[in-house]
Amino acid sequence: IQRETLPLTLKGLDVLASAQTGSGKTIAYLIALIMKLIANPEGTALILAPTRELAMQVQQALIQLTGNNSQMKSVLIIGGASMFRQLSELKRRPRIIIGTPGRINDHLSRRTLYLQSTCFLVIDEADRMLDMGFGIQLDQIATFLTHKSRQSLLFSATMPPNIGRLAQKYLKDPQRVSIDANIQAPAKIQQEIIHTKTADKRNQLVEQLNKREGSIIVFVRTRRKAESMSNELRDEGHDTDAMHGDLPQRKREQVIRSFRANKSRILIATDVAARGLDIPHVMHVINYDLPECPEDYVHRIGRTGRAGAEGFALSIVSPEDRNKWRAISRLLDPETAKRTAAPHEETAPRRGPPRKPFGGGGGQNKWRGAKKRPFSGASRFR
């Protein structure tokens, strides 16, 4: 993605780019942004991200690239953080504004942020931005972007039709770059499935946590479940933390720092951690609850196997999950999904010959009532 987009952005062209999660999109646009601002000493840049965690990560990557360059000061404008501190940093006239749409709009309405000199715009994770309902807020921000020679970049992991409509609003004759356009999991992530009864899901999870080494992210559906599961596992002797949207910003930062520093081995998280969380040492992702949106499966398991590393992803699938799992299977491997079915699809006895199990093989494993399968089409280690 960097090789394909950098020549275009350095020429000053608008770019609409899609690439898999973890492929290096952040560095691709940060390098172009820095070069643009060096060439235009009076210009500023705005980077919009859907979540606080992604915005924070972008700023960290920027600092690593620029060091202590006083000409490239940045400010982080996100909800849940100190407004007083943001106001203080904005008075120093930073050249790079990184933030989430809600808090950016808040400052614009207060007239504490001005974008007249913004000559470079980045909309990162645009598909997630729209999924979270930020379309109206993006339109509001756009009314303040009046620089005549503004260059705009839009990056997305997937490219649904609404992304094209978004690009028409903010980009001028954009160059289209698509890397690995088909939605698929990174090649070096070994995917596995455990089909089990609903009542046995937690036992399966605990056994998997006990047998696996290294850092683990467990995805659940709700904020309440993230907290309760983290507390229960901690009481049982596991080093766990919870990550969800209800946490105060200071607590969210503390949880990420602790997990990044290996002080907690297991992170129980909602989909707030499905994108933008770049922690290279994550070895395993476990889907305790399957995501509501099939595309989010790819983003979740993309928290492991970062930058071409090897990783493991496990989904614990109960009978209630069969429709979600079928949707995920169709997304990743449509042809195989048509020919195969999960073992627990049927609720009544079925006449005739037994149906071929999903993935084409395997049998009872050592876990009670569970059937463990490698995911169809998954990349296996050698």
Side-chain angles (χ1 to χ4, degrees), residues 116-348:
Q116 291 91 334
S117 61
T118 299
C119 62
F120 199 94
L121 170 68
V122 177
I123 302 177
D124 199 1
E125 297 284 7
D127 51 352
R128 183 64 171 167
M129 197 87 74
L130 295 179
D131 288 343
M132 295 176 69
F134 285 133
I136 294 176
Q137 294 187 349
L138 291 176
D139 289 343
Q140 293 171 341
I141 293 171
T143 63
F144 293 87
L145 297 168
T146 57
H147 199 285
K148 293 182 179 180
S149 59
R150 185 187 81 233
Q151 182 180 4
S152 301
L153 311 181
L154 192 153
F155 284 81
S156 184
T158 61
M159 200 59 64
N162 55 359
I163 295 297
R165 293 190 291 271
L166 187 70
Q168 290 178 357
K169 290 183 180 180
Y170 307 126
L171 278 59
K172 298 177 182 178
D173 301 321
Q175 302 296 304
R176 177 71 181 269
V177 175
S178 183
I179 308 297
D180 296 327
N182 295 326
I183 298 175
Q184 56 185 344
K188 291 189 177 181
I189 297 178
Q190 178 177 323
Q191 301 170 71
E192 294 178 325
I193 317 159
I194 290 179
H195 290 288
T196 187
K197 298 177 181 178
T198 302
D200 202 35
K201 282 184 71 172
R202 193 180 185 284
N203 292 336
Q204 299 295 336
L205 174 64
V206 171
E207 293 198 43
Q208 289 295 318
L209 295 178
N210 288 333
K211 69 174 289 188
R212 293 172 184 258
E213 298 180 353
S215 298
I216 302 172
I217 299 179
V218 179
F219 281 103
V220 296
R221 185 175 300 112
T222 66
R223 302 166 184 178
R224 181 176 297 180
K225 184 179 287 188
E227 282 290 347
S228 63
M229 183 178 287
S230 178
N231 292 334
E232 290 171 5
L233 290 172
R234 193 180 302 115
D235 291 341
E236 296 172 9
H238 294 279
D239 297 324
T240 68
D241 260 323
M243 180 71 180
H244 55 79
D246 274 351
L247 291 180
Q249 184 60 33
R250 181 174 297 180
K251 177 62 175 177
R252 290 167 78 157
E253 294 176 15
Q254 177 185 335
V255 167
I256 292 175
R257 283 198 302 267
S258 178
F259 189 60
R260 194 182 296 275
N262 281 313
K263 293 181 180 178
S264 57
R265 187 176 82 95
I266 302 167
L267 185 66
I268 313 296
T270 61
D271 279 328
V272 73
R275 300 203 193 190
L277 193 64
D278 188 6
I279 301 178
H281 63 71
V282 174
M283 285 294 298
H284 308 272
V285 168
I286 298 178
N287 288 301
Y288 184 83
D289 294 325
L290 293 182
E292 298 295 327
C293 177
E295 288 82 0
D296 285 342
Y297 172 85
V298 178
H299 297 298
R300 283 184 177 189
I301 70 172
R303 297 314 99 200
T304 186
R306 303 292 290 176
E310 297 176 334
F312 300 85
L314 171 70
S315 296
I316 304 176
V317 180
S318 66
E320 291 80 3
D321 298 322
R322 62 180 181 268
N323 288 335
K324 292 179 182 177
W325 185 250
R326 190 182 297 117
I328 292 169
S329 302
R330 284 197 300 264
L331 179 73
L332 298 181
D333 194 352
E335 293 303 317
T336 301
K338 290 178 183 178
R339 299 192 303 267
T340 58
H344 293 289
E345 269 196 358
E346 297 166 341
T347 57

Side-chain angles (χ1 to χ4, degrees), residues 76 78-87 103 107 249-250:
L76 189 64
I78 57 177
S82 168
M83 179 65 78
F84 176 80
R85 179 176 178 179
Q86 292 174 8
L87 291 172
R103 183 55 68 92
H107 279 280
Q249 184 60 33
R250 181 174 297 180

Side-chain angles (χ1 to χ4, degrees), residues 47 49-57 59 75-83 86 97-104 106-107 249-250 252-253:
I47 302 173
T51 67
R52 305 171 190 177
E53 286 69 34
L54 180 55
M56 293 165 57
Q57 200 160 272
Q59 188 185 46
V75 60
L76 189 64
I77 306 295
I78 57 177
S82 168
M83 179 65 78
Q86 292 174 8
I97 299 99
I98 306 167
T100 50
R103 183 55 68 92
I104 292 290
D106 193 0
H107 279 280
Q249 184 60 33
R250 181 174 297 180
R252 290 167 78 157
E253 294 176 15

Side-chain angles (χ1 to χ4, degrees), residues 30 34 56-69 72 74 98:
L30 284 180
I34 293 168
M56 293 165 57
Q57 200 160 272
V58 169
Q59 188 185 46
Q60 292 168 1
L62 176 65
I63 292 172
Q64 290 176 346
L65 286 174
T66 60
N68 296 319
N69 187 343
M72 291 293 172
S74 64
I98 306 167

